[in-house]
Amino acid sequence: MPVRVQEADFDLGAEIAALRAGRPNIGAVASFIGTVRDINDGSGVSEMELEHYPGMTEKALADIVSAAMQRWALIDALVIHRVGKLKPEDQIVLVAVASKHRGESFAACEFIMDYLKSEAPFWKKEQTPEGARWVDARVTDDKALARWGITTSNAAGATAAPNDYE
């Protein structure tokens, strides 16, 4: 169950090949790649900076993958999340899930992404024509997670930036 938080980009083909290597029992791999958009909440975005707390973030991602492994008969899963400064069209996140059958892979991949969007400790700051702004949690992310039977209230108030805790 590899989980990585890194500044460097990733290669989807190489990551899937590594996930599948030497595992003839894998019948399906579902994957999701998230990218930086050039517009958010009606404003242009020229850059996004992602921050995290090393150690805590990796543990949270591993817990999310572990929850998926408990729900579905998965062979393995991979989550790579980038941090640092990213531009529109840059890859932010990769979720790849391997199982014997596609249904489990698709469901688990979607679950991991929904869970990650609501519960992973990342802070995102966008550069817009109006200036820098922190990206708040969204009610839609909480609703996506709720369909899996998990409730959260991240979007109830503004999401604090890491420096706001000091």
Side-chain angles (χ1 to χ4, degrees), residues 54-165:
M56 181 177 116
T57 301
E58 290 84 352
K59 181 179 181 329
L61 294 175
D63 289 348
I64 291 167
V65 172
S66 181
M69 300 285 268
Q70 292 173 13
R71 285 179 179 239
W72 292 276
L74 306 179
I75 296 168
D76 207 351
L78 167 69
V79 174
I80 301 173
H81 206 297
R82 295 182 65 198
V83 293
K85 293 181 179 182
L86 301 169
K87 300 284 185 196
E89 298 184 28
D90 284 351
Q91 300 179 130
I92 301 174
V93 62
L94 166 64
V95 175
V97 180
S99 67
K100 289 183 180 180
H101 305 287
R102 70 180 182 274
E104 293 161 327
S105 289
F106 281 132
C109 188
E110 194 169 11
F111 170 85
I112 291 170
M113 198 60 227
D114 287 347
Y115 206 158
L116 185 152
K117 286 283 290 179
S118 295
E119 298 297 313
F122 289 99
W123 292 269
K124 300 175 183 178
K125 183 170 44 173
E126 296 175 331
Q127 294 295 330
T128 72
E130 297 82 24
R133 66 180 181 196
W134 291 100
V135 177
D136 290 332
R138 300 182 192 285
V139 171
T140 55
D141 293 334
D142 288 348
K143 287 181 181 178
L145 190 57
R147 72 189 174 109
W148 302 105
I150 300 169
T151 56
T152 185
S153 60
N154 289 326
T159 303
N163 294 337
D164 292 345
Y165 290 116

